[in-house]
Amino acid sequence: MEYYSKEIGNLIGELQKLPGIGEKGAQRLAFHILNMPPDDVKHMAETLVSARTNVHYCKVCCTLTDSETCPICSNPKRNHRQIMVVENSRDMAAYEKTGKYEGVYHVLHGAISPMQGIGPNDIRLKELMKRLEGDVDEVIIATNSSLEGETTAMYISRLIKPTGIRVTRIASGVPVGGDIEYIDEVTLLRAFEGRTEL
Ligand code: ZN
């Protein structure tokens, strides 16, 4: 990094902290930013800070939102007795894109991974269990079909079973290790419709 002056080096260093951005990518972005009109850069920086400041977890489903309760949780037309459990807000967006799911969600923000030291208390599981004290007919577990996703699904189903609430798992039309957000809508719908009892 010593080829560049301090300011440029700092910028490259910050950009490199983003996922999927290596040193070369960070350099390309840095020089792109340095060539942008100053007002555009200012607007971009302000958008970053504003989003980070104003976006937080929905108090019901834990998805990221800028209101106290997200638009889905505050929609009376949704079926609030059917909860689909997903790993992150992007997976939730993928299901929303199908336009066919009428229930609500619960976002875990991760999956249980003993290998990476992520346990049940590191994801939003307590919040889910609290919601189940209300009127719930079905919990659909839509975590990824990765090892972590399956471990999480199994753990959750064991927790919920004693409550008598119906627990289902989306069908494995979803390729193993495949991230839900990258799967096309038809496959997602098929996985949802073919869900099985746990
Ligand atoms: Zn919500």
Side-chain angles (χ1 to χ4, degrees):
M1 216 57 83
E2 64 251 36
Y3 312 113
Y4 301 118
S5 68
K6 190 166 157 275
E7 291 277 352
I8 301 173
N10 287 347
L11 178 57
I12 294 171
E14 286 303 313
L15 292 167
Q16 222 176 320
K17 290 178 184 168
L18 296 170
I21 307 289
E23 197 181 329
K24 273 193 185 149
Q27 287 178 22
R28 206 178 57 238
L29 288 171
F31 286 107
H32 179 83
I33 290 167
L34 292 170
N35 281 312
M36 281 164 63
D39 279 351
D40 288 5
V41 177
K42 193 162 173 253
H43 182 247
M44 186 183 275
E46 283 165 0
T47 305
L48 282 174
V49 174
S50 166
R52 186 60 191 91
T53 308
N54 299 318
V55 173
H56 48 251
Y57 292 144
C58 164
K59 70 171 188 186
V60 180
C61 74
C62 299
T63 193
L64 292 166
T65 180
D66 54 13
S67 46
E68 196 180 9
T69 313
C70 78
I72 295 171
C73 288
S74 37
N75 183 349
K77 289 193 186 119
R78 307 287 297 225
N79 177 4
H80 293 262
R81 301 171 72 104
Q82 191 179 40
I83 300 176
M84 183 188 285
V85 179
V86 293
E87 289 183 23
N88 54 53
S89 298
R90 286 164 309 178
D91 291 347
M92 173 174 164
Y95 269 102
E96 276 305 283
K97 258 202 288 187
T98 67
K100 295 274 160 59
Y101 178 64
E102 284 163 359
V104 292
Y105 297 88
H106 189 83
V107 183
L108 295 172
H109 293 283
I112 297 170
S113 171
M115 296 271 284
Q116 294 172 51
I118 300 168
N121 290 328
D122 300 314
I123 58 176
R124 302 266 154 172
L125 209 51
K126 270 200 298 279
E127 289 84 348
L128 173 66
M129 296 313 289
K130 187 97 194 102
R131 286 178 80 181
L132 302 187
E133 289 169 11
D135 288 333
V136 176
D137 297 329
E138 183 185 3
V139 174
I140 304 156
I141 305 178
T143 50
N144 292 336
S145 54
S146 60
L147 178 62
E148 292 80 14
E150 294 298 346
T151 306
T152 309
M154 218 136 52
Y155 187 89
I156 295 176
S157 84
R158 270 196 220 125
L159 271 187
I160 300 177
K161 270 285 168 63
T163 67
I165 296 169
R166 184 181 177 208
V167 189
T168 56
R169 173 88 172 111
I170 55 162
S172 51
V174 181
V176 173
D179 276 357
I180 284 175
E181 57 173 319
Y182 296 124
I183 294 159
D184 69 90
E185 287 147 39
V186 178
T187 312
L188 268 190
L189 270 183
R190 210 177 291 147
F192 173 69
E193 277 154 10
R195 66 190 187 277
T196 49
E197 306 288 331
L198 280 180

